[in-house]
């Protein structure tokens, strides 16, 4: 089912527009955000833009697909792209601690910076404090934009709903660093001397004593030392966070929500769409990855299953008829002395001797056995070979044409049922958000692991071609 033309997301005009300076790809985990971000970056670069792709995902997929050994906090030039239009492509992965260190080094003199960087509380904060990664992503985005070295920045966000935490994290971390608790903790250090002691005697000693028991005396001291050293940069944290937040709301920014045509993924996508609208963020549309299709969509699942059952029934009748004919053939069944024994009798299973070697010759004598368990050229050997050639029963592990066709029909029925589920899920999303423009990308047979694969994804995104392309033999 094709999309309503009014709801088709046209990505090339977005990438080509010089006023588009930031594209943010967000969505739940495992839906292809990193691949989408890299494919868009490559396409924009090959169309003449100077692009940097910033990933917050620690996985190495982006580096591998771009032919880079590893990514770090410094943009790396991607080689092998078509730069005939004058574009460039760079890629980098956020190093949360290194970005925090850079902020300290940029806003404190050498001595004060050394105190902060060596402070145990700072080391814990910069390595994994809640919200630090998202805050540093905002800082890095602000740094890249301020350098004005690239005319397009594409951001690949963390998975799940935390992908939008970078909208909240700067406020949370800024509130923590500027908060009343931190100010109270640093009050004694700021007052100093007798004034500090007097303040503590008024009641501060009770609070710090309680916190010392909860946090540990050394940790409390580390926090106080850290905050005292960072005091001159507190205002900068909140100021830069607010500036970057406004940058995300500016007309030059575009948010793309990436999802798969699955219930949970589109439910998350609906959350992203609503949240972005609530934050007044410029939302461009939805990229729907891994959409399945079929070249025989006119054949419904019901008809395919019915045809498969008919073929199975015909195959069963043919096998039964063949079995009866084979049993009636005297050359398949030996009938001597009132006994009927199949040459392939299960009684000899596991025996080192061939069943044919135990079968008496017509004159009652046993002939010498060949290497295959029968006398070459003897009537018994010839008859056995002829019988095998004439049977219509498929060898072990093989299937008749009817059985193969029935299996293919069942696979087609499963595919059509999958297509039906995906379409119902997409229809529900469209009913909730009819205003959202959508670009679809086909489910590919394998992972994208190089520039050629990224280029193919970019072509599909721009052309809205969910179907697989025709390839030369």
């Amino acid at each position: 089912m094709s999309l309503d033309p009014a709801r088709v997301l046209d990505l090339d005009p977005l990438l080509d527009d010089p006023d588009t300076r930031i594209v943010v790809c967000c969505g739940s985990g495992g839906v292809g955000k990193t691949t989408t971000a890299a494919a868009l970056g490559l396409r924009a670069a090959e169309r003449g833009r100077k692009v940097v792709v910033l990933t917050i995902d620690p996985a190495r997929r982006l580096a591998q697909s771009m032919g880079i050994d590893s990514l770090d906090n410094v943009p790396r030039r991607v080689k092998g792209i078509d730069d005939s239009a004058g574009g460039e492509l760079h890629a980098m992965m956020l190093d949360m601690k290194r970005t925090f260190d850079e902020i300290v080094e940029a806003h404190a003199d050498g001595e004060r910076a050394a105190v902060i960087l060596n402070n145990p509380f700072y080391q814990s904060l910069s390595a994994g404090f809640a919200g630090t990664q998202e805050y540093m992503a905002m800082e890095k985005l602000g740094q890249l934009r301020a350098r004005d070295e690239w005319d397009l920045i594409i951001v690949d966000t963390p998975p799940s709903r935390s992908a939008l935490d970078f909208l909240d994290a700067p406020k949370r971390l800024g509130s923590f660093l500027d908060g009343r608790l931190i100010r109270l903790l640093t009050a004694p250090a700021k007052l100093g001397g007798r004034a500090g002691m007097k303040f503590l005697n008024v009641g501060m000693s009770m609070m710090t004593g309680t916190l010392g028991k909860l946090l540990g005396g050394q940790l409390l001291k580390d926090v106080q030392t850290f905050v005292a050293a960072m005091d001159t940069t507190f205002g900068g944290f909140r100021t830069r966070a607010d500036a970057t937040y406004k940058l995300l709301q500016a007309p030059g920014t575009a948010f793309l929500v990436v999802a798969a045509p699955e219930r949970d993924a589109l439910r998350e996508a609906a959350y992203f769409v609503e949240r972005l609208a609530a934050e007044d963020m410029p939302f461009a549309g939805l990229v729907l990855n891994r959409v399945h299709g079929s070249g025989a969509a006119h054949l419904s699942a019901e008809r395919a299953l019915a045809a498969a059952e008919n073929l199975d029934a015909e195959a069963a009748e043919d096998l039964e008829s063949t079995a009866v004919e084979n049993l009636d053939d005297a050359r398949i069944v030996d009938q001597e002395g009132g006994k009927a024994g199949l040459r392939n009798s299960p009684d000899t299973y596991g025996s080192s001797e061939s069943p044919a070697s135990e079968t008496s010759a017509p004159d009652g004598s046993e002939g010498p056995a060949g290497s295959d368990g029968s006398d070459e050229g003897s009537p018994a050997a010839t008859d056995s070979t002829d019988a095998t050639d004439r049977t219509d029963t498929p060898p072990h592990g093989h299937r008749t044409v009817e059985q193969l066709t029935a299996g293919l029909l069942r696979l087609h029925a499963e595919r059509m049922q999958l297509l039906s589920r995906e379409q119902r899920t997409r229809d529900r999303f469209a009913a909730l958000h009819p205003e959202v423009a959508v670009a679809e990308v086909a489910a590919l047979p394998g992972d994208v692991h190089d520039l050629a694969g990224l280029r193919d994804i970019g072509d599909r995104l721009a052309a809205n071609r969910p179907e697989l392309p025709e390839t030369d033999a």
Side-chain angles (χ1 to χ4, degrees):
M1 179 176 177
S2 60
L3 289 169
D4 182 345
R7 295 182 57 247
V8 172
L9 175 60
D10 198 353
L11 284 168
D12 274 350
L14 177 70
L15 297 177
D16 294 342
D17 187 354
D19 291 333
T20 302
R21 304 300 301 273
I22 298 173
V23 173
V24 182
C25 297
C26 53
S28 57
V31 296
K33 291 191 310 299
T34 300
T35 301
T36 299
L40 290 173
L42 176 61
R43 185 169 184 84
E46 293 188 332
R47 295 173 70 87
R49 303 295 298 273
K50 192 172 182 181
V51 187
V52 59
V53 178
L54 167 64
T55 182
I56 308 174
D57 187 349
R60 298 187 59 201
R61 293 187 302 274
L62 181 61
Q64 292 170 344
S65 64
M66 292 184 170
I68 301 174
D69 293 336
S70 63
L71 293 177
D72 54 22
N73 216 40
V74 178
R76 304 291 180 184
R77 179 88 177 257
V78 178
K79 300 178 181 179
I81 74 166
D82 180 3
D83 56 3
S84 58
E88 294 180 10
L89 179 60
H90 298 74
M92 63 181 298
M93 185 177 73
L94 178 73
D95 184 329
M96 178 176 63
K97 187 178 187 312
R98 184 59 209 150
T99 301
F100 211 152
D101 291 349
E102 291 172 354
I103 297 171
V104 172
E105 292 166 353
H107 295 87
D109 57 53
E111 183 178 352
R112 186 182 292 259
V115 171
I116 296 172
L117 296 177
N118 293 323
N119 183 276
F121 177 74
Y122 167 78
Q123 292 174 356
S124 298
L125 176 71
S126 60
F129 194 81
T132 304
Q133 183 186 47
E134 291 78 10
Y135 179 85
M136 291 306 137
M138 293 281 279
E139 283 279 355
K140 182 57 67 176
L141 176 59
Q143 291 174 10
L144 293 173
R145 184 67 181 85
R147 288 169 61 179
D148 207 27
E149 186 175 344
W150 298 274
D151 54 29
L152 179 60
I153 303 169
I154 297 181
V155 182
D156 167 39
T157 60
S160 189
R161 292 194 174 187
S162 64
L164 288 182
D165 278 354
F166 63 84
L167 299 178
D168 298 326
K171 297 178 183 177
R172 290 202 303 268
L173 189 60
S175 297
F176 168 74
L177 294 176
D178 285 339
R180 181 176 300 175
L181 174 62
I182 294 296
R183 294 298 181 185
L184 287 172
L185 290 175
T186 56
K190 290 180 182 179
L191 292 172
R194 294 180 179 178
M197 292 303 296
K198 183 178 180 180
F199 183 83
L200 287 174
N201 289 335
V202 173
M204 189 65 180
S205 58
M206 183 180 297
M207 187 194 76
T208 55
T210 302
L211 287 173
K213 293 178 181 178
L214 294 174
L215 303 177
Q218 184 58 47
L219 176 57
L220 180 59
K221 183 178 179 181
D222 291 338
V223 172
Q224 291 174 328
T225 304
F226 163 74
V227 176
M230 288 288 288
D231 184 58
T232 57
T233 65
F234 279 172
F237 274 95
R238 186 177 293 276
T239 300
R240 289 191 303 276
D242 291 343
T244 307
Y245 190 84
K246 291 178 180 177
L247 185 65
L248 290 175
Q249 291 178 315
T253 300
F255 281 82
L256 290 174
V257 174
V258 184
E262 301 165 0
R263 184 179 61 182
D264 291 343
L266 279 175
R267 183 185 295 119
E268 291 290 290
Y271 164 79
F272 285 122
V273 171
E274 293 162 5
R275 175 68 193 281
L276 290 169
E279 298 285 342
D280 293 324
M281 297 292 173
F283 173 57
L286 173 72
V287 173
L288 199 59
N289 272 332
R290 301 169 188 164
V291 177
H292 292 86
S294 173
H298 58 281
L299 178 59
S300 68
E302 292 76 13
R303 289 178 57 196
L305 288 174
E309 291 175 359
N310 289 336
L311 285 171
D312 282 342
E314 292 176 8
E317 291 177 2
D318 290 343
L319 288 175
E320 183 178 357
S321 175
T322 301
V324 171
E325 291 176 1
N326 288 343
L327 288 173
D328 289 341
D329 193 330
R331 286 173 294 184
I332 298 299
V333 180
D334 289 333
Q335 298 176 348
E336 291 235 358
K339 295 181 180 180
L342 288 176
R343 284 199 175 92
N344 292 327
S345 170
D347 294 340
T348 60
Y349 183 80
S351 172
S352 61
E353 296 187 14
S354 169
S357 66
E358 298 177 3
T359 305
S360 300
D363 59 358
S365 64
E366 295 185 1
S371 60
D372 61 352
S374 61
D375 188 8
E376 290 189 18
S378 69
T382 303
D383 290 348
S384 176
T385 302
D386 291 344
T388 303
D389 289 342
R390 279 196 301 271
T391 180
D392 291 331
T393 303
H396 178 70
H398 291 71
R399 297 290 185 271
T400 64
V401 172
E402 290 83 1
Q403 289 172 320
L404 288 172
T405 305
L408 290 174
L409 285 168
R410 286 193 172 85
L411 286 176
H412 175 76
E414 291 177 4
R415 170 57 66 91
M416 294 307 297
Q417 290 167 349
L418 174 61
L419 264 61
S420 179
R421 288 197 302 272
E422 289 184 356
Q423 189 60 55
R424 289 196 300 270
T425 304
R426 290 147 68 191
D427 288 345
R428 283 196 294 268
F429 178 86
L432 289 172
H433 300 283
E435 77 288 354
V436 175
V438 181
E440 294 187 354
V441 183
L444 301 179
D447 292 333
V448 175
H449 54 80
D450 55 19
L451 289 178
L454 293 176
R455 191 174 290 114
D456 183 33
I457 293 293
D459 291 342
R460 295 167 187 272
L461 279 166
N464 279 287
R465 285 189 296 110
E467 74 280 0
L468 293 173
E470 294 182 2
T471 58
D472 295 333

